[in-house]
Amino acid sequence: MSESTNSPRRFARLLLTGAAGGLGRELRRRLRPHCEHLRLSDVADLGEAADGEEVRQVRLEDRPAVRALLEGVDAVVHLGGVSVEAAFDPICDANIVGVYNLYEAARLNGVRRIVFASSNHVTGFYRQDEVIDARMPVRPDGLYGVSKAFGENLARLYFDRHGIETACLRIGSSFPEPKDRRMLATYLSYDDLERLVMACLTAPVVGHSVVFGVSDNSTLWYDNRHATHLGYRARDSSEPFRAAVEARQPVLDLDDPAVIYQGGAFVRTGPFE
Ligand code: 15L
């Protein structure tokens, strides 16, 4: 856990959606010390509420339930929804309709800031020999990436029109350790994830920001120059894992689209036959 965990509680009530997923479980315990009440939601079972937690089982496409979910919260960390490539219907329900419901609920409940889990797959069709920044055009590598680009654009509208601030985190690969050569570039440690989320929750001014969620990796395809106002500084790196990863995957097929493009296997996965 990163050092910021010991900082004083800054929020009366935070909402964490998608709290039953891999990153949700990490942030559940890491956000708890920063708020008086941590409201957790997911479609899946979240288990018993611990001290200071509120647990709600909610489908994002259920508009009245999402409206009620955002009542009385200071800020939202939105991890909920489909987090991999999938058929259009579930993506549409959770990541298009669901995100619309979330922003409408924020507007109607007066919630002023959202940390939105976007994805590197918004730009997955850039090549691995390119370094990109947040102002370059999106190049989604599938329907999932398109849905995250929709979320980023909806967030832009709700900032321009209603002043709701969003930090869009184009998360790379946040796992205990990088699983393959690609993840040497996209790796985001859990401690850096926590630093990034806390920076976005506490920065004085966020506006509508897009930041690539990666650690301080030696191989890096992302330039975060347009997000320095957020104050996120990665402290971890994929480098300690490099030797083991390269030993496991010594040869790369340079004709494989998964090796050519930043999105990796996502560029050739999905509902297209
Ligand atoms: C994502 O957006 C996924 O949610 C995650 O499961 C990983 O596959 C990650 O991207 C990645 O690109 O490694």
Side-chain angles (χ1 to χ4, degrees):
M1 202 171 290
S2 79
E3 67 297 327
S4 61
T5 301
N6 294 325
S7 61
R9 291 182 183 177
R10 304 183 212 209
F11 299 95
R13 181 173 279 103
L14 285 178
L15 168 64
L16 174 65
T17 71
L23 301 189
R25 287 194 300 273
E26 279 299 316
L27 288 180
R28 179 175 184 170
R29 67 186 180 86
R30 290 165 183 266
L31 291 180
R32 179 66 198 91
H34 297 288
C35 51
E36 296 298 325
H37 304 277
L38 181 60
R39 187 173 293 166
L40 305 158
S41 76
D42 207 291
V43 278
D45 182 30
L46 286 158
E48 288 294 304
D51 193 32
E53 288 183 347
E54 304 163 357
V55 164
R56 302 217 188 152
Q57 206 163 355
V58 168
R59 300 190 73 77
L60 291 168
E61 55 269 43
D62 181 344
R63 192 165 301 159
V66 174
R67 168 95 193 258
L69 185 63
L70 270 79
E71 262 169 30
V73 306
D74 299 326
V76 180
V77 178
H78 181 57
L79 305 183
V82 176
S83 64
V84 289
E85 186 61 340
F88 181 68
D89 288 347
I91 286 183
C92 182
D93 288 349
N95 295 12
I96 306 281
V97 177
V99 171
Y100 170 72
N101 291 343
L102 185 90
Y103 275 86
E104 269 301 276
R107 180 179 72 81
L108 294 168
N109 284 302
V111 177
R112 306 303 298 164
R113 188 171 292 187
I114 296 177
V115 179
F116 171 65
S118 182
S119 171
N120 73 88
H121 296 288
V122 167
T123 50
F125 258 124
Y126 281 98
R127 293 171 54 94
Q128 295 191 9
D129 54 12
E130 291 175 284
V131 175
I132 62 171
D133 70 48
R135 298 205 178 149
M136 292 169 71
V138 301
R139 294 183 73 172
D141 58 28
L143 299 176
Y144 165 62
V146 169
S147 76
K148 290 297 181 182
F150 170 83
E152 291 188 1
N153 280 330
L154 193 75
R156 164 66 75 183
L157 171 67
Y158 275 76
F159 177 62
D160 289 342
R161 190 96 177 234
H162 306 296
I164 297 171
E165 295 189 297
T166 297
C168 302
L169 315 185
R170 288 189 184 162
I171 297 173
S173 306
S174 197
F175 297 105
E177 53 185 72
K179 297 176 184 175
D180 57 22
R181 294 271 282 264
R182 169 180 169 272
M183 290 190 191
L184 293 173
T186 58
Y187 176 63
L188 173 68
S189 73
Y190 289 150
D191 281 353
D192 279 342
L193 169 71
E194 180 187 341
R195 289 182 186 104
L196 177 59
V197 168
M198 287 312 299
C200 294
L201 285 172
T202 59
V205 181
V206 163
H208 178 273
S209 301
V210 175
V211 55
F212 291 93
V214 283
S215 286
D216 186 19
N217 306 324
S218 299
T219 308
L220 210 48
W221 304 323
Y222 312 114
D223 176 346
N224 265 333
R225 82 175 98 173
H226 301 301
T228 53
H229 58 286
L230 296 174
Y232 165 62
R233 186 150 297 175
R235 301 226 177 134
D236 296 326
S237 163
S238 61
E239 216 46 33
F241 303 101
R242 181 179 289 278
V245 168
E246 290 182 351
R248 272 203 311 271
Q249 201 187 1
V251 180
L252 291 175
D253 174 2
L254 299 179
D255 293 324
D256 182 352
V259 174
I260 297 172
Y261 297 105
Q262 296 182 1
F266 277 62
V267 306
R268 52 169 166 68
T269 307
F272 309 107
E273 295 298 326

